[in-house]
Amino acid sequence: MKTRRTVLAALASLTALGVLTACGSGDAAVEQIKPEGQKDTGINVGPNQNRIHTAKVDAIAGKLPEAVRKRGTLILGVSAKSNPPLAFRATDDKTLIGVELDLATLVSDTLGLKPEFNPVSWENLFVGLDSGKYDAVFSNVTVTEERKDKYDFATYRLDDLAFEAKKGSGWTVKGPEDVSGKRIAVGSGTNQEKILVDWSKQNEKAGRKGVDIKYYDNTTDYYLALQSGRIDGYLGPNPTVAYHVASAGQTEAVGKFSGAGAGLQGKIAATTKKDSGLVAAYAAAIDHLIENGTYAQVLKRWGLSTEAVPKSEINPPGLPRTKS
Protein backbone atom coordinates (compact mmCIF):
# COMPACT_ATOMS: atom_id res chain seq x y z
CA MET A 1 0.00 0.00 0.00
CA LYS A 2 1.25 3.46 -0.84
CA THR A 3 1.70 5.60 2.25
CA ARG A 4 0.93 9.30 2.58
CA ARG A 5 4.67 9.92 3.00
CA THR A 6 5.38 8.19 -0.33
CA VAL A 7 2.77 10.30 -2.12
CA LEU A 8 4.12 13.51 -0.61
CA ALA A 9 7.67 12.56 -1.57
CA ALA A 10 6.60 11.93 -5.16
CA LEU A 11 4.84 15.27 -5.39
CA ALA A 12 7.84 17.00 -3.84
CA SER A 13 10.07 15.49 -6.53
CA LEU A 14 7.76 16.76 -9.25
CA THR A 15 7.68 20.19 -7.67
CA ALA A 16 11.48 20.22 -7.75
CA LEU A 17 11.35 19.43 -11.47
CA GLY A 18 8.91 22.15 -12.41
CA VAL A 19 5.46 23.62 -11.98
CA LEU A 20 2.73 21.06 -11.34
CA THR A 21 -0.77 22.08 -12.37
CA ALA A 22 -4.03 20.19 -12.53
CA CYS A 23 -6.89 20.93 -14.86
CA GLY A 24 -9.80 19.11 -16.39
CA SER A 25 -13.45 18.42 -15.93
CA GLY A 26 -15.30 15.92 -13.77
CA ASP A 27 -13.06 13.23 -12.30
CA ALA A 28 -10.57 13.23 -15.18
CA ALA A 29 -7.73 15.55 -14.19
CA VAL A 30 -4.78 16.20 -16.47
CA GLU A 31 -1.58 17.00 -14.60
CA GLN A 32 1.08 18.96 -16.43
CA ILE A 33 4.62 20.17 -16.04
CA LYS A 34 5.51 23.41 -17.78
CA PRO A 35 7.77 26.40 -17.22
CA GLU A 36 6.35 29.22 -15.12
CA GLY A 37 4.53 31.68 -17.39
CA GLN A 38 4.17 29.26 -20.31
CA LYS A 39 0.72 29.66 -21.83
CA ASP A 40 0.52 26.65 -24.13
CA THR A 41 -0.06 23.04 -23.09
CA GLY A 42 2.61 21.55 -20.85
CA ILE A 43 3.81 17.96 -20.54
CA ASN A 44 1.28 15.52 -19.15
CA VAL A 45 2.82 13.84 -16.09
CA GLY A 46 -0.37 12.20 -14.85
CA PRO A 47 -1.14 8.46 -15.03
CA ASN A 48 -3.72 8.95 -17.81
CA GLN A 49 -1.28 9.39 -20.67
CA ASN A 50 -3.52 8.92 -23.72
CA ARG A 51 -0.51 7.48 -25.51
CA ILE A 52 -0.18 7.73 -29.27
CA HIS A 53 -0.82 4.37 -30.97
CA THR A 54 -0.52 2.93 -34.45
CA ALA A 55 -1.75 -0.13 -36.33
CA LYS A 56 0.00 -3.45 -36.77
CA VAL A 57 1.97 -3.94 -40.01
CA ASP A 58 1.92 -7.62 -40.93
CA ALA A 59 4.98 -7.46 -43.18
CA ILE A 60 7.08 -5.99 -40.35
CA ALA A 61 5.62 -8.30 -37.70
CA GLY A 62 6.60 -11.18 -39.97
CA LYS A 63 10.27 -10.35 -39.36
CA LEU A 64 9.96 -11.45 -35.72
CA PRO A 65 11.01 -14.93 -34.57
CA GLU A 66 8.00 -17.23 -34.46
CA ALA A 67 8.27 -17.76 -30.70
CA VAL A 68 7.91 -14.04 -30.03
CA ARG A 69 4.96 -13.71 -32.42
CA LYS A 70 3.13 -16.58 -30.74
CA ARG A 71 3.80 -15.24 -27.24
CA GLY A 72 1.98 -12.02 -28.10
CA THR A 73 4.04 -9.79 -25.83
CA LEU A 74 7.25 -7.83 -26.19
CA ILE A 75 9.16 -8.04 -22.91
CA LEU A 76 11.06 -4.79 -22.43
CA GLY A 77 13.58 -3.51 -19.93
CA VAL A 78 13.40 0.16 -18.90
CA SER A 79 15.20 2.21 -16.27
CA ALA A 80 13.70 2.19 -12.79
CA LYS A 81 15.31 5.54 -11.95
CA SER A 82 13.34 8.76 -12.34
CA ASN A 83 14.75 10.42 -15.46
CA PRO A 84 12.17 12.77 -16.99
CA PRO A 85 11.37 12.95 -19.83
CA LEU A 86 12.98 9.57 -20.66
CA ALA A 87 11.32 7.24 -18.15
CA PHE A 88 9.80 8.18 -14.80
CA ARG A 89 6.78 7.69 -12.53
CA ALA A 90 3.60 9.66 -13.04
CA THR A 91 1.98 11.64 -10.25
CA ASP A 92 0.39 8.45 -8.88
CA ASP A 93 3.96 7.31 -8.02
CA LYS A 94 3.22 4.07 -9.88
CA THR A 95 2.56 4.46 -13.62
CA LEU A 96 5.67 4.47 -15.82
CA ILE A 97 5.68 7.26 -18.40
CA GLY A 98 8.15 9.01 -20.68
CA VAL A 99 9.40 9.19 -24.25
CA GLU A 100 11.14 5.81 -24.07
CA LEU A 101 7.92 4.06 -23.11
CA ASP A 102 5.92 5.92 -25.76
CA LEU A 103 8.33 4.91 -28.54
CA ALA A 104 8.53 1.32 -27.28
CA THR A 105 4.73 1.19 -27.27
CA LEU A 106 4.61 2.34 -30.90
CA VAL A 107 7.18 -0.29 -31.90
CA SER A 108 5.10 -2.93 -30.10
CA ASP A 109 1.93 -1.71 -31.86
CA THR A 110 3.62 -2.01 -35.25
CA LEU A 111 4.69 -5.56 -34.42
CA GLY A 112 1.21 -6.48 -33.17
CA LEU A 113 2.47 -7.20 -29.66
CA LYS A 114 1.56 -5.97 -26.19
CA PRO A 115 4.47 -4.23 -24.44
CA GLU A 116 5.43 -5.59 -21.02
CA PHE A 117 7.66 -3.09 -19.22
CA ASN A 118 10.12 -4.21 -16.57
CA PRO A 119 11.70 -1.34 -14.59
CA VAL A 120 15.13 -2.29 -13.25
CA SER A 121 18.47 -0.71 -12.37
CA TRP A 122 20.86 0.24 -15.18
CA GLU A 123 23.19 -2.75 -14.74
CA ASN A 124 20.27 -5.18 -14.60
CA LEU A 125 19.05 -4.01 -18.00
CA PHE A 126 22.07 -5.73 -19.51
CA VAL A 127 21.87 -8.71 -17.18
CA GLY A 128 18.32 -9.20 -18.44
CA LEU A 129 19.42 -9.01 -22.06
CA ASP A 130 22.29 -11.45 -21.46
CA SER A 131 19.97 -14.00 -19.85
CA GLY A 132 17.35 -13.66 -22.57
CA LYS A 133 14.80 -12.26 -20.13
CA TYR A 134 14.18 -9.14 -22.23
CA ASP A 135 13.43 -8.93 -25.93
CA ALA A 136 14.76 -5.37 -25.94
CA VAL A 137 15.83 -2.47 -23.78
CA PHE A 138 14.48 1.03 -24.45
CA SER A 139 16.43 3.05 -21.91
CA ASN A 140 18.58 5.75 -23.51
CA VAL A 141 21.26 3.19 -24.41
CA THR A 142 24.09 4.60 -26.52
CA VAL A 143 25.62 2.50 -29.27
CA THR A 144 29.23 1.69 -28.38
CA GLU A 145 31.81 -0.50 -30.08
CA GLU A 146 32.22 -2.55 -26.91
CA ARG A 147 28.49 -3.11 -26.55
CA LYS A 148 28.24 -4.21 -30.18
CA ASP A 149 30.26 -7.30 -29.22
CA LYS A 150 27.29 -8.55 -27.18
CA TYR A 151 24.23 -6.65 -28.44
CA ASP A 152 22.45 -5.56 -31.62
CA PHE A 153 21.16 -2.02 -31.99
CA ALA A 154 18.38 -0.28 -33.96
CA THR A 155 18.78 3.48 -33.56
CA TYR A 156 15.83 5.76 -32.82
CA ARG A 157 17.23 9.03 -31.39
CA LEU A 158 20.34 11.18 -31.41
CA ASP A 159 22.45 10.96 -28.27
CA ASP A 160 23.60 14.27 -26.80
CA LEU A 161 24.91 15.03 -23.33
CA ALA A 162 24.76 18.32 -21.46
CA PHE A 163 26.35 19.97 -18.45
CA GLU A 164 23.94 21.64 -16.05
CA ALA A 165 24.86 24.26 -13.47
CA LYS A 166 23.08 26.61 -11.11
CA LYS A 167 21.51 29.56 -12.91
CA GLY A 168 23.88 32.51 -13.21
CA SER A 169 26.97 30.37 -12.74
CA GLY A 170 28.88 32.21 -15.47
CA TRP A 171 30.42 28.85 -16.40
CA THR A 172 30.76 27.46 -19.93
CA VAL A 173 32.05 23.98 -20.72
CA LYS A 174 33.79 23.55 -24.07
CA GLY A 175 36.40 20.95 -23.19
CA PRO A 176 38.36 19.15 -20.44
CA GLU A 177 40.08 22.27 -19.12
CA ASP A 178 36.69 23.77 -18.21
CA VAL A 179 35.94 20.99 -15.70
CA SER A 180 39.37 20.97 -14.05
CA GLY A 181 38.95 21.01 -10.26
CA LYS A 182 35.15 21.04 -10.48
CA ARG A 183 32.78 18.86 -8.45
CA ILE A 184 30.59 17.19 -11.06
CA ALA A 185 27.91 14.55 -10.57
CA VAL A 186 27.35 11.80 -13.13
CA GLY A 187 25.51 8.49 -13.37
CA SER A 188 27.61 5.43 -12.56
CA GLY A 189 28.24 3.02 -15.45
CA THR A 190 27.07 5.49 -18.10
CA ASN A 191 28.84 6.79 -21.20
CA GLN A 192 28.86 10.27 -19.72
CA GLU A 193 30.85 8.87 -16.81
CA LYS A 194 33.39 7.43 -19.26
CA ILE A 195 33.75 10.79 -20.98
CA LEU A 196 34.10 12.65 -17.68
CA VAL A 197 36.70 10.19 -16.37
CA ASP A 198 38.63 10.55 -19.62
CA TRP A 199 38.52 14.35 -19.37
CA SER A 200 39.76 14.16 -15.78
CA LYS A 201 42.73 12.04 -16.89
CA GLN A 202 43.49 14.48 -19.71
CA ASN A 203 43.55 17.33 -17.20
CA GLU A 204 45.89 15.48 -14.86
CA LYS A 205 48.20 14.57 -17.74
CA ALA A 206 48.33 18.27 -18.70
CA GLY A 207 49.25 19.24 -15.14
CA ARG A 208 45.78 20.54 -14.25
CA LYS A 209 43.52 19.34 -11.46
CA GLY A 210 41.31 16.37 -12.23
CA VAL A 211 37.54 16.26 -11.77
CA ASP A 212 35.99 15.56 -8.37
CA ILE A 213 33.34 13.12 -9.58
CA LYS A 214 30.25 12.65 -7.40
CA TYR A 215 27.56 9.97 -7.55
CA TYR A 216 23.95 10.02 -6.36
CA ASP A 217 21.15 7.46 -6.51
CA ASN A 218 18.46 9.60 -8.15
CA THR A 219 18.23 12.49 -10.58
CA THR A 220 16.43 14.63 -7.99
CA ASP A 221 19.44 14.17 -5.69
CA TYR A 222 21.66 15.83 -8.31
CA TYR A 223 19.35 18.83 -8.46
CA LEU A 224 19.25 19.24 -4.70
CA ALA A 225 23.06 19.03 -4.59
CA LEU A 226 23.28 21.72 -7.28
CA GLN A 227 20.98 24.08 -5.42
CA SER A 228 22.81 23.58 -2.12
CA GLY A 229 26.22 24.15 -3.72
CA ARG A 230 27.55 20.68 -2.91
CA ILE A 231 28.41 20.20 -6.59
CA ASP A 232 29.31 22.62 -9.37
CA GLY A 233 27.57 20.75 -12.15
CA TYR A 234 25.82 17.67 -13.42
CA LEU A 235 26.63 15.81 -16.66
CA GLY A 236 23.62 13.89 -17.93
CA PRO A 237 21.53 13.07 -20.99
CA ASN A 238 20.59 16.25 -22.85
CA PRO A 239 16.84 15.43 -22.70
CA THR A 240 16.94 15.21 -18.90
CA VAL A 241 18.95 18.42 -18.57
CA ALA A 242 16.81 20.33 -21.09
CA TYR A 243 13.59 19.18 -19.37
CA HIS A 244 14.78 20.27 -15.95
CA VAL A 245 16.18 23.60 -17.12
CA ALA A 246 12.94 24.45 -18.93
CA SER A 247 10.55 23.29 -16.22
CA ALA A 248 12.25 24.39 -13.01
CA GLY A 249 13.92 27.63 -14.06
CA GLN A 250 16.65 27.31 -11.41
CA THR A 251 19.52 25.96 -13.52
CA GLU A 252 21.09 26.41 -16.94
CA ALA A 253 22.77 24.23 -19.58
CA VAL A 254 26.42 25.27 -19.81
CA GLY A 255 27.70 22.86 -22.46
CA LYS A 256 26.38 20.28 -24.91
CA PHE A 257 28.29 17.36 -26.49
CA SER A 258 27.74 14.21 -28.53
CA GLY A 259 27.29 11.13 -26.38
CA ALA A 260 29.84 9.33 -28.56
CA GLY A 261 32.62 11.79 -27.83
CA ALA A 262 34.50 14.12 -30.17
CA GLY A 263 34.17 13.53 -33.91
CA LEU A 264 31.16 11.19 -33.84
CA GLN A 265 27.45 11.81 -33.32
CA GLY A 266 26.13 9.42 -30.70
CA LYS A 267 22.98 7.39 -31.33
CA ILE A 268 20.40 5.98 -28.89
CA ALA A 269 19.06 2.58 -29.87
CA ALA A 270 16.69 -0.24 -29.11
CA THR A 271 19.05 -2.86 -27.70
CA THR A 272 18.70 -6.61 -28.00
CA LYS A 273 20.89 -9.64 -27.42
CA LYS A 274 23.36 -10.32 -30.23
CA ASP A 275 21.93 -12.52 -32.99
CA SER A 276 18.51 -12.75 -31.28
CA GLY A 277 16.83 -12.28 -34.66
CA LEU A 278 14.92 -9.23 -33.41
CA VAL A 279 16.90 -6.19 -34.53
CA ALA A 280 15.68 -6.14 -38.16
CA ALA A 281 12.06 -6.04 -36.98
CA TYR A 282 12.80 -3.17 -34.60
CA ALA A 283 14.57 -1.13 -37.29
CA ALA A 284 11.75 -1.72 -39.79
CA ALA A 285 9.15 -0.75 -37.17
CA ILE A 286 11.01 2.47 -36.31
CA ASP A 287 11.32 3.39 -40.01
CA HIS A 288 7.57 2.84 -40.39
CA LEU A 289 6.86 5.12 -37.41
CA ILE A 290 9.08 7.82 -38.93
CA GLU A 291 7.20 7.53 -42.21
CA ASN A 292 3.69 7.60 -40.74
CA GLY A 293 4.41 10.59 -38.48
CA THR A 294 3.72 9.01 -35.08
CA TYR A 295 7.44 9.08 -34.25
CA ALA A 296 7.55 12.85 -34.72
CA GLN A 297 4.38 13.26 -32.64
CA VAL A 298 5.95 11.45 -29.68
CA LEU A 299 9.20 13.42 -29.82
CA LYS A 300 7.28 16.70 -30.06
CA ARG A 301 5.12 15.69 -27.11
CA TRP A 302 8.22 15.37 -24.92
CA GLY A 303 10.12 18.34 -26.37
CA LEU A 304 12.74 16.22 -28.14
CA SER A 305 12.13 17.01 -31.82
CA THR A 306 15.76 18.10 -32.25
CA GLU A 307 16.91 14.54 -31.47
CA ALA A 308 14.98 12.91 -34.32
CA VAL A 309 16.77 10.59 -36.74
CA PRO A 310 15.82 10.31 -40.46
CA LYS A 311 15.92 6.49 -40.34
CA SER A 312 16.85 3.65 -38.06
CA GLU A 313 20.36 2.24 -38.44
CA ILE A 314 21.37 -1.26 -37.41
CA ASN A 315 24.67 -1.36 -35.51
CA PRO A 316 26.16 1.96 -36.75
CA PRO A 317 29.60 3.18 -35.59
CA GLY A 318 29.47 3.75 -31.83
CA LEU A 319 31.41 5.29 -28.99
CA PRO A 320 35.04 4.10 -29.42
CA ARG A 321 36.44 1.36 -27.26
CA THR A 322 37.95 2.34 -23.95
CA LYS A 323 41.72 2.64 -24.23
CA SER A 324 43.58 0.30 -21.91
Side-chain angles (χ1 to χ4, degrees):
M1 176 180 282
K2 186 165 52 182
T3 66
R4 176 177 171 79
R5 179 174 294 179
T6 301
V7 174
L8 291 174
L11 291 175
S13 295
L14 286 167
T15 302
L17 291 172
V19 181
L20 177 64
T21 63
C23 60
S25 59
D27 294 327
V30 178
E31 294 157 309
Q32 299 177 349
I33 286 287
K34 60 183 177 180
E36 187 175 357
Q38 179 177 309
K39 295 181 180 180
D40 59 341
T41 302
I43 296 175
N44 177 9
V45 293
N48 300 316
Q49 283 289 289
N50 298 317
R51 281 196 173 109
I52 298 165
H53 287 278
T54 194
K56 177 184 178 182
V57 178
D58 290 333
I60 298 176
K63 296 178 181 292
L64 290 168
E66 185 178 1
V68 178
R69 292 201 307 270
K70 287 184 175 180
R71 189 207 305 147
T73 58
L74 198 63
I75 304 173
L76 305 167
V78 295
S79 175
K81 289 188 176 182
S82 179
N83 288 305
L86 301 173
F88 60 112
R89 302 283 179 177
T91 52
D92 63 355
D93 198 27
K94 180 175 65 175
T95 306
L96 282 167
I97 62 175
V99 66
E100 302 289 55
L101 289 98
D102 282 5
L103 290 175
T105 297
L106 281 175
V107 168
S108 301
D109 287 347
T110 304
L111 299 174
L113 301 173
K114 182 180 179 180
E116 181 182 305
F117 294 111
N118 292 264
V120 294
S121 63
W122 174 259
E123 61 274 12
N124 281 320
L125 292 171
F126 299 96
V127 172
L129 285 173
D130 294 343
S131 67
K133 181 178 180 180
Y134 304 139
D135 297 314
V137 161
F138 281 77
S139 196
N140 205 55
V141 179
T142 304
V143 180
T144 76
E145 291 304 308
E146 286 178 336
R147 287 174 182 163
K148 281 162 63 177
D149 292 340
K150 296 178 67 175
Y151 310 107
D152 284 323
F153 296 93
T155 61
Y156 61 85
R157 204 164 38 76
L158 298 181
D159 173 33
D160 286 321
L161 306 177
F163 282 90
E164 184 176 5
K166 199 170 182 178
K167 201 167 187 177
S169 67
W171 179 35
T172 301
V173 180
K174 295 182 179 179
E177 63 277 8
D178 298 313
V179 297
S180 173
K182 297 288 189 180
R183 299 163 299 171
I184 301 177
V186 72
S188 177
T190 61
N191 289 322
Q192 50 264 35
E193 180 193 27
K194 290 181 181 179
I195 291 173
L196 193 59
V197 168
D198 183 57
W199 280 17
S200 184
K201 290 178 180 178
Q202 289 182 46
N203 280 329
E204 291 173 349
K205 189 175 181 180
R208 297 186 293 263
K209 290 183 178 180
V211 182
D212 185 2
I213 301 175
K214 304 291 187 182
Y215 299 94
Y216 295 93
D217 290 333
N218 298 299
T219 306
T220 49
D221 295 333
Y222 298 130
Y223 302 145
L224 292 172
L226 265 180
Q227 290 306 308
S228 67
R230 284 179 285 133
I231 59 175
D232 300 300
Y234 164 59
L235 175 60
N238 180 63
T240 303
V241 171
Y243 179 91
H244 183 243
V245 168
S247 60
Q250 298 173 326
T251 58
E252 60 187 0
V254 295
K256 182 179 174 183
F257 304 87
S258 165
L264 180 67
Q265 174 59 58
K267 301 285 178 64
I268 299 297
T271 309
T272 185
K273 189 175 182 179
K274 194 78 174 176
D275 300 322
S276 65
L278 290 161
V279 72
Y282 297 154
I286 293 164
D287 282 344
H288 173 70
L289 300 172
I290 292 171
E291 291 170 4
N292 74 9
T294 53
Y295 169 81
Q297 289 177 51
V298 165
L299 291 189
K300 182 178 180 181
R301 180 186 186 200
W302 293 102
L304 298 178
S305 296
T306 59
E307 298 195 349
V309 295
K311 67 182 298 296
S312 182
E313 299 173 83
I314 294 176
N315 297 330
L319 182 70
R321 295 180 185 275
T322 303
K323 294 179 181 180
S324 56

